Amino acid sequence: IGHMTAHTKGFTVIELLVVAVFLGVAAVIALLQMNTIRTESINKEKRTAINAIHYSLEENFYKEHKYYPETIKDDTLSTMDAALLTDPDGKKIGDSESAYRYEARNCHDGKCKEYTLRATLANEAEYVKDSRNK
């Protein structure tokens, strides 16, 4: 009868290191993907809010008043949800630190002829909407 060599069961240190490195790389990639998805979601939320404000200004406020407001407050755009005037960080449009900016131009007695809406996006250029009627 031949010699039987004893085999130990288990993993070598090299195999364990390879698995640990693989899991570490996979975790880093997953975190980066989650961050990218979160950033894209926040940017989409900002674009949606700016589009809603723009639509309400053009299709409701301007059609009714024939001018644009000098500032936007909670009750300025009654046809849209006022919560959209607050950015994802909780800053209201008009606050200096808000990601949303309303820049009215050619104003006289609170009545303006044009405006630009802006949203600061992460890892992208600013999102901008201009008044249709100038």
Side-chain angles (χ1 to χ4, degrees):
I1 306 177
H3 285 89
M4 293 183 72
T5 54
H7 285 291
T8 57
K9 293 185 178 179
F11 299 105
T12 65
V13 172
I14 299 290
E15 290 170 329
L16 290 174
L17 282 174
V18 167
V19 169
V21 167
F22 174 78
L23 290 175
V25 169
V28 167
I29 290 170
L31 286 173
L32 290 173
Q33 281 300 105
M34 283 176 39
N35 190 41
T36 299
I37 290 168
R38 187 178 311 114
T39 299
E40 287 175 5
S41 175
I42 291 170
N43 284 347
K44 183 179 178 184
E45 184 180 334
K46 290 176 180 179
R47 284 190 293 272
T48 298
I50 292 299
N51 286 335
I53 296 167
H54 178 71
Y55 183 85
S56 189
L57 281 165
E58 296 297 336
E59 299 301 322
N60 300 107
F61 192 94
Y62 188 86
K63 282 187 176 179
E64 182 179 333
H65 299 72
K66 303 299 180 223
Y67 66 87
Y68 298 110
E70 192 162 6
T71 59
I72 296 178
K73 306 246 185 281
D74 280 349
D75 59 350
T76 306
L77 304 173
S78 59
T79 57
M80 63 170 270
D81 184 358
L84 290 170
L85 300 175
T86 302
D87 72 15
D89 292 329
K91 309 282 187 205
K92 281 222 171 252
I93 194 169
D95 290 353
S96 61
E97 296 173 12
S98 177
Y100 305 151
R101 287 182 311 293
Y102 175 72
E103 302 160 353
R105 292 184 302 284
N106 297 332
C107 301
H108 184 67
D109 291 331
K111 299 176 181 180
C112 304
K113 294 185 178 175
E114 57 187 306
Y115 68 85
T116 299
L117 277 169
R118 300 177 189 274
T120 305
L121 304 179
N123 304 329
E124 287 184 38
E126 253 186 350
Y127 187 67
V128 179
K129 288 288 220 178
D130 287 311
S131 51
R132 282 189 221 148
N133 305 287
K134 294 180 182 182

